[in-house]
Amino acid sequence: MIDWNWIPANADRLGPAIVQHLVLALVPVLIGLVVAVPVGWMANRYRAARAVLVPAAGLLYTIPSLVLFIVLPGVLGTQILDPLNVVVALSVYTVALLVRSVADALAAVPGMVVAAATAMGYKPARRFAQVELPLSLPVLISGLRVATVTNISLVAVGALIGIGGLGYFLTDGFLRNSQTSIIVGTLLIFVIALVFDSLLVLIGKLATPWVGAGGSR
Amino acid sequence: MGRRRGVALMGALIADVIAWFGDPSNLTGSTGVPTRIVEHIRYSGVALIIAALIAVPIGALVGHTGRGGFAVVGVANGLRSLPEIGVVLLLVTFVGGVSLTPVTIALVVLAIPPLLGGTYAGVRNVDRATVDAARGMGMTEREILTKVELPNALPLIIGGLRTATLQVIATAAVAALVGVGGLGRYLIDGLGVRDYTQMAAGALLIAALALLAEAVLAGVQRLVVSPGLRTTASTGRRAAAPPSEPVEEPQTRSTPVPEPARS
């Protein structure tokens, strides 16, 4: 089942694949975050925007990843083997997921707190940055966790169209009938996903020291 | 310049796809669109039913007793980090040949986390006062679970089912890689011969099937969820759940409970 010679023989190929995998998975998370915060804010602020944005995000999220990888070159005018397709596709998913997270998180900020900040003379922009956004971090982080883990897993699907970081070891292993290649690739992806998930939990804990400290929230 | 070429390409592609759907040879026989749609629905349906039979009882029991919740959440979150395509390919190499069994197993593994997580969270989040009241009225534990907790948990259970359905439909397409049928054939076969039109047509069909499934389940949700639960679409409560209990993780690929118009 596991051919132990495979690992040293292919070790030099694993490093670059891991790096490519991480770039393909994490760049979209950052892009998604930067786009989703203002869009989520709009969705929370204006009811009409919410009525359009949240269902639209849901619809985007129903499109299977392989479909998006294949259709995007037609839309963007890129080559099918362009990594940009994977990055754009995963960014779309991340935005779709986080818009809802951000909107829900902002909606859950107690009105009293917002009112108090306003009364203390916080202008809307500063109030958003220093009061509402920090208070919505816990929900935002759990959305980010899901987006990150999903992206790390979905990059592997990109291997079907020829760009997939560690996913290459899955499709290649399948073609060569090498179970070792598939197992190593799958486990590495799994471990990387868990590592980044734990990392985000830690960041969340550090960024929101008030959570769980006394009182109810 | 590249942009304009992109637009022109897009126009040509749309015309090609329309022509593809207009070609009778693509619409009949064992490789025709209707056959492929039925296959795809069959693979997905079987896997979802098996997954539900496993995940819903476990999630309900654990949610009801509160014992082992940590393990359930851990398993649900852990399985979510597994790249499903790796699971499919690995199982196929073990079973060998072209067979549905490994594909079905992989799809079941994929569908369990959202169903398990949704059921557990749904049952766990039923208002304690409601459960206490049911106990006070003399209901047995079984009655409490079936008559109080599960009906109240339905929005989250169906939310989990919707997530699972979307993931399974998407992954059943990937499964074409190992030689089974379904709509994924158009993607994989098209990729093999660089027939972009066929790939685009397949992509369109899969996306349409996913959207259709989503619409049907949203309809089911409206029908079976008690009207009393609608006014408390749990966004507020959900958002307020302390992150220390990752029970309420938003599901991967989820389109959560549709919300009523906020008045």
Side-chain angles (χ1 to χ4, degrees), chain B:
Chain B
M1 188 180 118
R3 180 98 208 104
R4 203 154 21 149
R5 215 189 60 225
V7 172
L9 274 177
M10 192 73 197
L13 180 65
I14 292 171
D16 285 346
V17 170
I18 292 172
W20 189 92
F21 279 111
D23 181 349
S25 69
N26 293 325
L27 302 179
T28 51
S30 64
T31 59
V33 170
T35 316
R36 293 294 187 211
I37 292 178
V38 170
E39 283 172 341
H40 206 99
I41 293 175
R42 199 177 68 228
Y43 303 163
S44 308
V46 168
L48 284 166
I49 289 167
I50 297 172
L53 289 176
I54 297 169
V56 172
I58 294 177
L61 275 176
V62 173
H64 177 75
T65 58
R67 266 180 305 212
F70 185 74
V72 161
V73 172
V75 166
N77 291 344
L79 284 179
R80 194 171 295 151
S81 316
L82 260 186
E84 54 268 19
I85 174 174
V87 178
V88 175
L89 296 179
L90 190 61
L91 285 168
V92 172
T93 57
F94 276 117
V95 176
V98 175
S99 128
L100 254 185
T101 316
V103 171
T104 306
I105 294 173
L107 293 180
V108 169
V109 168
L110 180 72
I112 284 177
L115 280 165
L116 191 63
T119 310
Y120 170 75
V123 171
R124 203 69 215 134
N125 284 338
V126 176
D127 196 340
R128 287 292 106 194
T130 312
V131 178
D132 284 346
R135 216 165 259 137
M137 285 168 66
M139 283 192 177
T140 62
E141 291 303 306
R142 175 189 289 263
E143 281 176 318
I144 292 175
L145 184 59
T146 54
K147 290 185 177 166
V148 178
E149 287 175 327
L150 284 176
N152 273 296
L154 265 184
L156 282 178
I157 296 176
I158 297 180
L161 179 64
R162 287 164 80 169
T163 305
T165 305
L166 287 178
Q167 284 187 313
V168 165
I169 287 176
T171 307
V174 174
L177 188 67
V178 303
V180 294
L183 290 168
R185 285 260 54 91
Y186 297 124
L187 301 184
I188 306 293
D189 295 349
L191 196 64
V193 295
R194 293 260 171 251
D195 177 357
Y196 202 77
T197 307
Q198 189 187 353
M199 285 165 77
L204 203 66
L205 285 167
I206 295 165
L209 185 63
L211 290 174
L212 183 72
E214 182 60 18
V216 168
L217 284 173
V220 167
Q221 182 154 356
R222 255 170 221 208
L223 284 176
V224 300
V225 171
S226 152
L229 288 170
R230 281 199 203 141
T231 45
T232 56
S234 56
T235 39
R237 222 188 31 212
R238 271 235 300 236
S244 51
E245 317 174 334
V247 173
E248 270 290 9
E249 292 262 292
Q251 299 286 327
T252 332
R253 315 223 78 201
S254 76
T255 27
V257 193
E259 290 181 276
R262 295 236 185 114
S263 45

Side-chain angles (χ1 to χ4, degrees), chain A residues 1-7 173 177-184 187, chain B residues 90-91 93-94:
Chain A
M1 171 166 154
I2 293 218
D3 167 16
W4 293 107
N5 300 324
W6 186 92
I7 299 171
N177 214 354
S178 158
Q179 288 175 346
T180 312
S181 178
I182 303 178
I183 292 170
V184 170
L187 279 181
Chain B
L90 190 61
L91 285 168
T93 57
F94 276 117

Side-chain angles (χ1 to χ4, degrees), chain A residues 68-202:
Chain A
L68 211 49
F69 292 157
I70 286 173
V71 172
L72 274 176
V75 179
L76 303 171
T78 44
Q79 293 296 316
I80 191 153
L81 283 173
D82 192 333
L84 195 64
N85 300 325
V86 175
V87 172
V88 171
L90 296 184
S91 301
V92 167
Y93 286 139
T94 309
V95 170
L97 187 85
L98 289 181
V99 161
R100 201 188 165 92
S101 286
V102 173
D104 285 351
L106 290 174
V109 174
M112 295 269 202
V113 176
V114 180
T118 314
M120 284 169 68
Y122 279 69
K123 295 275 181 296
R126 179 163 161 248
R127 190 185 67 203
F128 178 77
Q130 296 188 349
V131 179
E132 292 164 73
L133 197 57
L135 282 176
S136 58
L137 272 181
V139 180
L140 188 59
I141 295 269
S142 67
L144 270 177
R145 283 174 63 189
V146 173
T148 305
V149 167
T150 311
N151 279 5
I152 290 173
S153 177
L154 283 181
V155 167
V157 177
L160 293 180
I161 56 164
I163 316 126
L166 287 165
Y168 167 80
F169 291 100
L170 311 185
T171 46
D172 186 59
F174 179 70
L175 293 174
R176 293 167 192 271
N177 214 354
S178 158
Q179 288 175 346
T180 312
S181 178
I182 303 178
I183 292 170
V184 170
T186 304
L187 279 181
L188 274 173
I189 295 170
F190 181 63
V191 169
I192 289 172
L194 289 185
V195 166
F196 277 88
D197 192 41
S198 314
L199 210 61
L200 279 168
V201 173
L202 190 69

